[in-house]
Structures are given as structure tokens and as C-alpha cells.
Amino acid sequence: MNPTQHRAQCGTRAGYLRHHSNKELACDPCLAAANKFHTAYLIRQGTQRSCRISVSTLRLLLDDPTAGRDALAAELGDLVVSAISGTAPSTP
Ligand SMILES: [Zn+2]
């Protein structure tokens, strides 16, 4: 395998797929994006029934759902939060 290269797409699922098609090791931001995509997929399929969030985010979610959702999106990613809530992601 070639050493990991960073591109403009890095940090996205497309970036991960580019690494894969080039038979490279994916960089950490691309791995994180691919993991979030996969987690969202499993949630939408009903296969993944739990996920770990921090107590501070859970507390914020209970106290102020709007601010809590933003904190949850920062912690889990918008794609995962959208999969949990059954809505479309707010970012493309
Ligand atoms: Zn990358």
C-alpha cells in the first residue's frame, strides 16, 4: 500500500472511497467520516440500537433540546443525528 495522501476531499466519505480506490491507507479524518457514515447507515437499517454520548451532552439535551441537538451533532456528527431523528442531514 502507498502511504496515506491528503486531498481536498479528506474528511468525507468520498475522500475515504478515494483512498480505498487508490489502495491507500485512509487518513484519520476520512476514517472518522466513513465510520460516521456507517453508523448512520446501521441506525437507519435498525441494526444499531445504541450509541455512546457524553453525560454533558445528554444533560444539555434534556435541559435545552435545541442546544442539545447542536452538541449532539458536534459529538456524533450531523449524519448520525439525522439517522437517529429520521430526518435529512442539514449539511450536504
Ligand atoms: Zn483522507
Side-chain angles (χ1 to χ4, degrees), residues 19-53:
H19 286 298
H20 184 74
S21 68
N22 289 342
K23 301 186 184 333
E24 300 169 349
L25 292 174
C27 66
D28 288 344
C30 287
L31 279 175
N35 284 337
K36 287 178 182 175
F37 181 89
H38 188 66
T39 298
Y41 171 78
L42 293 177
I43 290 169
R44 289 188 192 281
Q45 294 299 309
T47 305
Q48 181 162 331
R49 302 190 184 284
S50 65
C51 62
R52 182 179 295 221
I53 63 170

